[in-house]
Amino acid sequence: MAGFVIRRVLGGIVILWLISVITFLLFFLVPKVLGSNPAILFAGRSPSEAAVAGVTKKLGLDQPIVVQYWHFLAGIFTGRHFDAGPDKTWCPPPCFGYSFKNSEPVWQEITRALPVTISLALGAAVLFLLIGVGIGILSALRRGSVVDRAAMTVALGAVSLPVYFTGLVLLLLVSYQWRIFPNIHYVAFLDNPLLWARNLLPAWIVLAFLYSAMYARLTRASMLDVLGEDYIRTARAKGLPERTVVGKHALRSALTPVVTIFGLDLGSLLGGAVLTETTFGFRGLGKTSIEAISTGDLPTILGVTIFAAGFVVLANILVDVFYAVVDPRVRPT
Amino acid sequence: MAVPVQLEPTNLTPGPPAVKPVAGRSLWRIAWSRLRKDKVALASAAFVILVVLVAIFAPVLTSIVGVNPDEPNYGLLDPNTALPAGSFGGMSSHHPFGVEPLSGRDVFARVVYGARISLLVASLATLLSVVLGTVMGLISGYVGGWIGGLIARLMDLLLAFPLLLFAIAIVAVIPDSAFGLNGNTLRLFILVFIIGFFSWPYIGRIVRGQVLSLKEKDFVAAARGTGAGSIRIMMQELLPNLVAPILVYTTLLIPTNILFEAALSYLGVGVKPPTSSWGDMLSTAAGGLFRVDPTFMVVPGVAIFLTVLAFNLLGDALRDAFDPRGGG
């Protein structure tokens, strides 16, 4: 078991490293190949010639790409100096780059955005797990009933709706027409937990509406598969009460794939629910990245993307380990 | 004495009428007979065809209605607010879906032209991912070994990736002209490439799963016995058996890709105005206009919803029709 975990963690680190290489190449090599100067991109929209020269020197863009990558990688662990003559900038570890646009380390932007994204993702996750899995189980147990068909129709509609459209409609109704949630903005949990929850609730609902639908469909399909298995028939034939058959025998294996998908979804939500954050104006990781695009702040996009990828890889590892704990058949791989 | 009990002879001798319907019941024929009875499937297929026709004949359609997607109509706006005069976003017999706030451009024409971008990007991207996914899925499932394992891990990773963030990052570093293309032509090309590249694992995973079970079947062993090479087995033995699942998941991938394109346009990294796209219209509305002119937000939103829903319904129906466990 320990060996398995160690192998998965090492594998995850390799993948993370590969992602950082690919992302780095994307930002430094693609512009070069396509004939634009990364220094111009990094200095922000239409900078002066002196600024471009300064950024080139500061970022070491005149050095070979391997050296540049090494500096970036080392910076995450040891911090990094961006110096050009008298102009000195210190980016403390973990240095995910330095935003010359905002004159602050990217890590600072990440730590500012992270609580917003985590609040959004975790709140929505609690809602959609309860609702989605609940409806899915119910639908599977009453297959073909009115409840099942109604739930699955709504679910199919929900997965066909873009979150930003649902979000805008909800905002229009609850925030502007009925004024139940006026003036939605992010409030830190520690400042005012009630206001935190109240302002996040519409966004949670929008995300949970979509994800509940996906989880209801997934849980239902998985549950129906399991209920058709021989061991369930055996359990019923033994005369076990339906409660035990469903609750103890079926649920355990039916929920395993759900948990896998949940881990991955949570990782990707923590990497930034870009559309929801943009629609509701919450400055999480996703919106930070989008804003960085409109201001041409490439170090921020690079840093946030690599950081978000880290979440996904971490989620992948956790899911694998969880899987190995629950399902002994996976372990030997 | 071994004289058998006389049974009803019709049950013993398989006469031609009893065999005939069985002989013709291939997977495709069963699926078709199921689909024909499925009213929801037929309705959604009709809607999909309608949207495709609307997209193809957008210029004809708009000229029949007498509207133009780019022509401003300042006369139709309230001079004080720059919002459409009249209720429901300025709906009228000339402008069935109303006009755009600030410019007065016809919303119907813009939605119709938006369908072109949406379907063009989604279908080309889907084509790319189906080709990539089938090839990678075949290799991963049939060849197996460390290459197969590596491809499988890659698919898992890509499926879980924060795609939008990555797509945004790619669009951000691509200059305004490259590969001899520029402007929206280049953007369309990039959109197709990004969406296609990130969504091939959907198909790849399905193909891999099917190949893993198919390759253990006797007909593959028989083909190998006759000396068929790996490539021939993959192309001639396995691929024909994969057409049905690939068709089903292609139908389900198109709506995903429509949503992907709309999301990128919504985030401002899709095609650029004045070319209209559904995501961009919603993005304009999201800037604050949706509060004062909800119609302008509802029309493109409903266009996305209905199109995606029709494809999803059709895909679900196809999946049920091809499901060997299904009844009928």
Side-chain angles (χ1 to χ4, degrees):
Chain A
M1 189 65 210
F4 173 81
V5 173
I6 290 170
R7 264 205 308 281
R8 276 288 179 266
V9 170
L10 288 180
I13 291 172
V14 171
I15 289 172
L16 202 53
W17 174 76
L18 274 176
I19 289 172
S20 76
V21 171
I22 293 168
T23 318
F24 194 84
L25 286 181
L26 188 73
F27 277 86
F28 287 84
L29 219 52
V30 170
K32 217 171 219 167
V33 171
L34 297 180
S36 57
N37 183 353
I40 297 179
L41 292 169
F42 272 74
R45 282 280 138 85
S46 44
S48 69
E49 220 164 277
V52 172
V55 167
T56 309
K57 185 91 185 55
K58 266 186 153 179
L59 287 173
L61 292 171
D62 40 2
Q63 289 167 326
I65 185 99
V66 182
V67 177
Q68 290 182 43
Y69 174 72
W70 172 248
H71 283 314
F72 178 83
L73 197 63
I76 296 179
F77 301 100
T78 62
R80 205 174 156 186
H81 292 280
F82 293 103
D83 296 341
D87 177 12
K88 288 193 197 307
T89 310
W90 165 239
C91 173
C95 177
F96 278 81
Y98 190 90
S99 163
F100 293 95
K101 201 82 193 171
N102 300 339
S103 310
E104 61 176 349
V106 173
W107 179 248
Q108 216 159 309
E109 296 183 281
I110 292 176
T111 47
R112 212 182 306 124
L114 201 54
V116 183
T117 295
I118 291 179
S119 305
L120 192 60
L122 289 187
V126 171
L127 276 183
F128 71 68
L129 263 191
L130 289 176
I131 299 172
V133 173
I135 291 178
I137 294 172
L138 202 72
S139 269
L141 292 179
R142 307 213 176 138
R143 184 184 196 179
S145 69
V146 180
V147 178
D148 175 29
R149 273 184 296 177
M152 287 306 116
T153 309
V154 172
L156 194 66
V159 295
S160 306
L161 278 166
V163 272
Y164 43 93
F165 181 51
T166 335
L168 288 177
V169 171
L170 195 73
L171 266 182
L172 176 69
L173 295 178
V174 301
S175 189
Y176 301 108
Q177 301 264 317
W178 306 330
R179 305 199 60 78
I180 309 169
F181 297 93
N183 185 24
I184 288 179
H185 61 280
Y186 181 76
V187 177
F189 177 77
L190 292 176
D191 289 352
N192 186 342
L194 265 180
L195 208 55
W196 169 83
R198 203 198 69 146
N199 281 350
L200 278 164
L201 191 60
W204 284 341
I205 292 174
V206 165
L207 268 179
F209 184 57
L210 170 67
Y211 280 86
S212 298
M214 300 197 306
Y215 279 76
R217 280 160 67 92
L218 180 70
T219 309
R220 180 181 181 273
S222 163
M223 192 76 182
L224 284 178
D225 273 352
V226 172
L227 286 175
E229 298 255 359
D230 288 342
Y231 77 91
I232 295 295
R233 201 182 316 152
T234 311
R236 284 203 177 116
K238 279 197 300 188
L240 288 181
E242 190 64 18
R243 229 187 124 75
T244 320
V245 175
V246 173
K248 229 176 151 183
H249 294 253
L251 218 51
R252 191 182 158 114
S253 34
L255 289 188
T256 318
V258 177
V259 171
T260 312
I261 304 286
F262 175 69
L264 301 178
D265 278 346
L266 193 63
S268 112
L269 273 178
L270 286 173
V274 189
L275 295 166
T276 315
E277 286 172 11
T278 312
T279 304
F280 285 87
F282 295 140
R283 289 207 60 202
L285 288 174
K287 189 157 197 315
T288 304
S289 191
I290 281 290
E291 280 178 2
I293 289 211
S294 53
T295 55
D297 185 3
L298 253 74
T300 303
I301 308 174
L302 175 65
V304 169
T305 307
I306 290 183
F307 183 77
F311 264 130
V312 174
V313 174
L314 187 68
N316 248 306
I317 297 172
L318 289 180
V319 164
D320 279 346
V321 171
F322 167 84
Y323 228 71
V325 173
V326 185
D327 190 344
R329 285 172 302 180
V330 186
R331 246 169 263 169
T333 53
Chain B
M1 288 289 280
V3 174
V5 182
Q6 188 70 41
L7 295 170
E8 280 188 59
T10 43
N11 281 354
L12 284 174
T13 41
V19 171
K20 206 177 169 191
V22 178
R25 279 172 71 83
S26 70
L27 180 65
W28 290 85
R29 204 164 275 214
I30 297 170
W32 173 237
S33 76
R34 282 181 192 160
L35 269 183
R36 253 192 333 206
K37 283 182 226 144
D38 190 342
K39 290 201 185 70
V40 177
L42 292 181
S44 44
F47 189 80
V48 164
I49 293 170
L50 178 76
V51 176
V52 171
L53 289 178
V54 162
I56 294 174
F57 296 107
V60 183
L61 186 64
T62 48
S63 71
I64 291 173
V65 179
V67 288
N68 179 315
D70 299 319
E71 182 192 347
N73 298 295
Y74 297 111
L76 297 170
L77 301 174
D78 185 315
N80 296 320
T81 57
L83 294 176
S87 50
F88 297 110
M91 279 190 191
S92 64
S93 54
H94 285 111
H95 301 282
F97 290 170
V99 292
E100 214 179 44
L102 309 179
S103 70
R105 290 182 298 190
D106 181 72
V107 173
F108 174 75
R110 293 192 72 72
V111 167
V112 164
Y113 271 86
R116 293 193 125 184
I117 298 294
S118 205
L119 291 185
L120 184 71
V121 172
S123 51
L124 288 179
T126 306
L127 189 69
L128 177 64
S129 47
V130 167
V131 172
L132 265 177
T134 307
V135 171
M136 298 292 259
L138 269 171
I139 296 175
S140 162
Y142 188 75
V143 178
W146 69 271
I147 298 177
L150 190 73
I151 295 175
R153 297 292 299 172
L154 181 68
M155 292 195 287
D156 286 348
L157 188 77
L158 275 177
L159 280 177
F161 222 67
L163 298 188
L164 279 176
L165 271 189
F166 222 76
I168 292 163
I170 295 175
V171 175
V173 292
I174 303 243
D176 289 333
S177 67
F179 314 116
L181 302 167
N182 55 42
N184 274 338
T185 322
L186 176 69
R187 285 177 167 272
L188 278 177
F189 180 78
I190 294 168
L191 284 176
V192 167
F193 181 78
I194 291 176
I195 298 174
F197 181 76
F198 278 118
S199 53
W200 67 261
Y202 284 100
I203 304 286
R205 210 165 48 159
I206 303 291
V207 171
R208 175 184 148 85
Q210 294 277 326
V211 169
L212 281 178
S213 75
L214 279 176
K215 76 172 180 183
E216 305 300 335
K217 296 263 164 75
D218 289 341
F219 72 93
V220 175
R224 210 178 288 128
T226 62
S230 293
I231 302 222
R232 204 177 124 198
I233 291 179
M234 281 194 260
M235 301 309 290
Q236 293 196 351
E237 305 295 331
L238 296 176
L239 202 55
N241 287 291
L242 295 169
V243 175
I246 290 175
L247 177 73
V248 168
Y249 286 92
T250 302
T251 318
L252 288 170
L253 187 56
I254 292 175
T256 312
N257 287 346
I258 290 176
L259 286 175
F260 202 156
E261 185 278 329
L264 289 175
S265 299
Y266 178 76
L267 294 171
V269 291
V271 291
K272 283 267 177 277
T275 306
S276 91
S277 73
W278 295 342
D280 179 63
M281 292 175 84
L282 275 164
S283 160
T284 312
L289 289 169
F290 74 100
R291 273 179 269 170
V292 284
D293 182 10
T295 312
F296 179 56
M297 160 193 76
V298 170
V299 171
V302 169
I304 299 177
F305 171 59
L306 289 180
T307 311
V308 171
L309 182 67
F311 273 106
N312 274 334
L313 283 169
L314 185 62
D316 270 11
L318 278 176
R319 187 172 49 195
D320 291 346
F322 279 110
D323 189 348
R325 288 170 300 178

